[in-house]
Amino acid sequence: MWNELFPNVVWDKIWAATMETLYMTAISVIATFVLGILLGLLLFLTSKGNIWENRFINGVIASFVNIFRSIPFIILIILLIPFTKLVVGTILGANAALPALIIGAAPFYARMVEIALREIDKGVIEAAKAMGATTSTIIWKVLLPEALPALVSGITVTAIALVGYTAMAGVVGAGGLGNLAYLEGFQRNNNDVTFVATVLILIIVFIIQFIGDFVTSKIDKR
Amino acid sequence: MITLSNVTKVYKAASGNVTAVDHVNLHIEQGEIFGIIGYSGAGKSSLIRLLNGLEKPTSGEVIVDGKDMGKISGKQLRQARQQIGMIFQHFNLLWSRTVRENIAFPLEIAGVQKEERMKRVDELIQLVGLQGRENAYPSQLSGGQKQRVGIARALANNPKVLLCDEATSALDPQTTDSILDLLVDINKRLGLTIVLITHEMHVIRKICDRVAVMENGKIVEMGEVLHVFRKPEQPITKRFVQQVTEPEETKEAMLHLLERYPNGQVVQLTFVGEAAEQPLITQLIRQFDLYVNILQGKISQTHHGSYGVLFIHLDGANEEIERALAFIRQQEVEVEVLANVE
Ligand SMILES: Nc1ncnc2c1ncn2[C@@H]1O[C@H](COP(=O)(O)OP(=O)(O)OP(=O)(O)O)[C@@H](O)[C@H]1O
Ligand SMILES: [Mg+2]
């Protein structure tokens, strides 16, 4: 029955493309999470009135974040082709998509991290200082735990955006479901392939959203 | 325990400099409950934050337990801060941690081992009366309970000084009283020095040994609470004292009463300590040929004895009234003749 409904779909290829999409998303989400928190923390800590207040460093990071956040992803991929070639050695395949995915998403997430940290009551940070906490204690035991629900819901949104980015990256040769939908589906006029690829992408997005919401509600004690 | 010499704190701002603390001199003894009262913006928070180095003085010296809080930094400052607990108006608890974990936090900072930490947390939960709520999150607690967690947390490392920044201002009167009782209890049991700031004279009256009145960054009046209550000098102090002794409308009510009693005199009596408990009115009626009407009265309890204000109307022969007033003055009672309506 499946074969009648989807005559042009090669299920092995779909499976492989799904795995590629999941692989690209997972690696880029993990890297974005780490990099974004790092950048977000730096943005927050160097901002006015904070522990490492430093206008210069804050200005540099903020411009970096703003510039990369504003470049449309599809253009970012093209701009990063030389860089990708240098780092990954090729501009084709799943790994080739990673630099663009991470550089595209990390600044986006860094802003969310900064906003999450700014939401923390200043009094709580002050209380920790008054107890004699070091800066690293404040980061690990106050800032990150207190912001965790917002950090998780932020990475959920970012992960979903990343699934979309992988599909775009697929169009320029990165593999995955986006690539399949474009090359096998759209260009060869196999609507059933496009349809299956789309449904799978939607399922991935729903699952990410579900996990994100679940985890956020579990850790949110506010 | 705490000595401030000529301390000034100036905030630099684009709109001009703000002198939040202006040449303050202050000495607080070990084991004392010292209150600082002032209206909003008087510089109370700035002053108390100088005591644990959250702010550095622009000039002058802040010595707490022998350490110059304005000069030390880094590890020295962090260790000094572990000896100074602080509680806040808005509690400032970590909402991601349970009651236990919140109280354990300063112990983690001080590097106390886990087993020892758990033992100490249990003691503190007993001390502040939070048994049964150990595993609740702050969002599940009432304001009073949150402040109890704040107090337990502030006491975790056995500090020598406890700073309270408007610790009861977010609480209702009943809860305020229970928190104040807890503070007195801790002060007695642990011999802790407590510095508290507030804009409510009620708090000062209830638990403080001494009080400083702050206005525009300066300390304008300072002394034993009972003394300040009896003889407030500055207008601002008088206003604060009236907060607890006279209801707002008293003055108007008195003017009204003066019209109603065209004969004799309306007199305000101020009792302090022992005198407040003497049967003065009975003596007046028995010894003098006078009518004595009690118009209004109120007795307040301070940390060092009672303090009362009584408005009475004396009616009778003029000489008799004079003799009665002389008698009252002998009784360590302040007398103020409000108006002579003749
Ligand atoms: N970080 C700061 N930067 C600039 N000005 C400040 C700062 N902190 C306080 N001030 C100013 O210093 C003055 C005293 O403030 P402070 O917070 O010490 O008053 P307060 O007596 O605690 O008032 P409140 O009862 O409202 O808490 C105010 O005019 C305030 O605007
Ligand atoms: Mg204040």
Side-chain angles (χ1 to χ4, degrees):
Chain A
M1 186 196 68
W2 284 99
N3 289 341
E4 280 157 40
L5 266 175
F6 306 110
N8 306 305
V9 174
V10 182
W11 294 102
D12 282 351
K13 274 194 181 171
I14 293 278
W15 175 253
T18 308
M19 284 301 122
E20 267 179 356
T21 293
L22 287 177
Y23 169 81
M24 287 188 285
T25 309
I27 301 283
S28 57
V29 164
I30 292 168
T32 298
F33 187 67
V34 174
L35 208 66
I37 286 186
L38 222 69
L39 284 173
L41 265 174
L42 275 175
L43 268 178
F44 175 74
L45 292 171
T46 57
S47 66
K48 198 167 148 46
N50 271 298
I51 306 174
W52 292 338
E53 179 170 348
N54 185 318
R55 272 183 73 178
F56 178 73
I57 295 182
N58 190 266
V60 170
I61 301 173
S63 343
F64 171 83
V65 163
N66 283 340
I67 290 170
F68 280 92
R69 220 163 44 120
S70 327
I71 301 176
F73 184 69
I74 199 82
I75 295 174
L76 188 69
I77 299 177
I78 296 164
L79 285 176
L80 284 177
I81 285 177
F83 176 75
T84 306
K85 237 183 184 154
L86 195 77
V87 178
V88 191
T90 170
I91 58 161
L92 293 177
N95 281 328
L98 293 177
L101 290 174
I102 295 165
I103 292 173
F108 177 72
Y109 185 51
R111 270 290 175 217
M112 290 198 223
V113 172
E114 191 209 358
I115 292 168
L117 294 173
R118 263 198 267 146
E119 296 269 294
I120 299 172
D121 187 355
K122 279 254 186 301
V124 178
I125 301 168
E126 185 158 296
K129 274 194 212 162
M131 286 178 231
T134 57
T135 302
S136 77
T137 302
I138 292 178
I139 292 173
W140 287 106
K141 296 201 165 186
V142 178
L143 296 181
L144 296 181
E146 290 289 293
L148 198 58
L151 297 184
V152 171
S153 66
I155 200 66
T156 309
V157 173
T158 310
I160 289 168
L162 273 168
V163 173
Y165 286 179
T166 64
M168 263 192 254
V171 175
V172 270
L177 288 168
N179 178 279
L180 193 78
Y182 183 69
L183 290 183
E184 309 267 322
F186 175 71
Q187 289 203 330
R188 299 193 188 167
N189 222 354
N190 294 330
N191 288 334
D192 53 342
V193 176
T194 313
F195 177 77
V196 170
T198 310
V199 168
L200 283 170
I201 287 176
L202 283 180
I203 290 174
I204 293 173
V205 168
F206 285 146
I207 290 174
I208 292 173
Q209 185 72 59
F210 178 78
I211 295 174
D213 288 351
F214 180 76
V215 174
T216 307
S217 75
K218 271 279 168 242
I219 56 179
D220 196 348
K221 301 288 192 253
R222 221 168 331 201
Chain B
M1 177 55 61
I2 298 171
T3 306
L4 305 193
S5 337
N6 239 332
V7 172
T8 297
K9 174 73 195 178
V10 180
Y11 293 108
K12 300 221 174 353
S15 51
N17 291 350
V18 182
T19 307
V21 177
D22 197 354
H23 293 92
V24 165
N25 288 292
L26 195 60
H27 181 75
I28 300 173
E29 296 292 337
Q30 151 109 51
E32 197 172 14
I33 303 186
F34 191 91
I36 299 167
I37 191 165
Y39 291 115
S40 187
K44 309 179 297 290
S45 294
S46 304
L47 182 65
I48 205 163
R49 291 158 55 84
L50 287 165
L51 300 182
N52 59 0
L54 285 175
E55 300 287 354
K56 296 284 175 186
T58 310
S59 67
E61 220 174 34
V62 179
I63 309 284
V64 179
D65 193 24
K67 296 185 195 71
D68 188 337
M69 298 305 291
K71 299 258 159 54
I72 59 174
S73 59
K75 191 162 186 201
Q76 267 186 311
L77 177 60
R78 289 197 299 273
Q79 276 173 349
R81 281 174 174 171
Q82 289 173 18
Q83 294 298 306
I84 305 172
M86 187 166 191
I87 56 177
F88 305 86
Q89 177 173 6
H90 299 296
F91 324 119
N92 296 354
L93 303 177
L94 292 153
W95 62 258
S96 59
R97 287 179 169 233
T98 61
V99 168
R100 289 191 73 86
E101 291 163 346
N102 262 291
I103 300 174
F105 186 38
L107 298 165
E108 289 168 25
I109 291 173
V112 177
Q113 290 305 306
K114 174 139 196 213
E115 212 170 293
E116 181 67 28
R117 213 156 66 206
M118 291 300 122
K119 226 178 88 205
R120 181 78 184 125
V121 170
D122 284 333
E123 285 170 22
L124 289 158
I125 285 177
Q126 293 279 332
L127 179 72
V128 299
L130 277 176
Q131 299 93 318
R133 303 299 282 148
E134 293 91 340
N135 298 316
Y137 284 91
S139 60
Q140 302 164 321
L141 300 177
S142 71
Q145 289 171 329
K146 282 187 199 141
Q147 196 56 291
R148 282 169 193 271
V149 178
I151 292 173
R153 182 176 74 172
L155 296 177
N157 285 316
N158 292 308
K160 298 191 173 120
V161 176
L162 178 65
L163 308 176
C164 312
D165 188 345
E166 306 263 8
T168 57
S169 300
L171 304 175
D172 63 57
Q174 254 92 15
T175 315
T176 294
D177 281 354
S178 76
I179 292 292
L180 294 179
D181 288 339
L182 177 63
L183 289 177
V184 173
D185 182 49
I186 288 163
N187 163 261
K188 286 217 184 89
R189 262 205 264 177
L190 311 176
L192 194 72
T193 308
I194 299 181
V195 182
L196 64 86
I197 65 179
T198 179
H199 57 259
E200 295 169 310
M201 201 59 177
H202 167 75
V203 172
I204 302 282
R205 168 184 77 72
K206 196 146 189 286
I207 71 168
C208 291
D209 300 311
R210 283 198 302 149
V211 60
V213 183
M214 233 181 146
E215 193 175 24
N216 298 325
K218 293 194 182 68
I219 289 188
V220 294
E221 191 160 352
M222 177 157 58
E224 308 265 328
V225 169
L226 215 47
H227 180 83
V228 170
F229 266 74
R230 181 163 50 182
K231 285 199 169 111
E233 273 158 24
Q234 302 295 326
I236 180 176
T237 316
K238 287 186 181 146
R239 252 182 296 153
F240 277 124
V241 170
Q242 279 170 11
Q243 263 185 21
V244 279
T245 54
E246 298 168 30
E248 283 290 306
E249 68 278 11
T250 298
K251 278 269 133 67
E252 284 160 46
M254 283 306 127
L255 286 177
H256 191 69
L257 283 169
L258 288 174
E259 285 165 17
R260 270 182 54 197
Y261 298 100
N263 301 315
Q265 289 183 341
V266 173
V267 175
Q268 175 185 347
L269 305 177
T270 308
F271 308 80
V272 172
E274 300 268 292
E277 285 133 39
Q278 283 171 17
L280 182 81
I281 302 300
T282 314
Q283 288 173 336
L284 280 181
I285 296 170
R286 288 209 181 131
Q287 294 179 20
F288 301 93
D289 184 17
L290 289 174
Y291 289 97
V292 181
N293 290 314
I294 295 177
L295 304 179
Q296 184 173 46
K298 184 171 181 187
I299 292 190
S300 318
Q301 203 63 36
T302 76
H303 198 37
H304 290 286
S306 6
Y307 167 91
V309 177
L310 189 62
F311 291 91
I312 56 175
H313 172 233
L314 301 175
D315 199 4
N318 271 345
E319 323 66 277
E320 196 68 1
I321 292 178
E322 286 309 319
R323 276 182 48 221
L325 290 177
F327 168 78
I328 301 171
R329 288 198 178 95
Q330 284 168 9
Q331 313 296 313
E332 291 177 40
V333 175
E334 300 276 323
V335 185
E336 192 183 335
V337 178
L338 283 192
N340 205 334
V341 201
E342 282 189 69

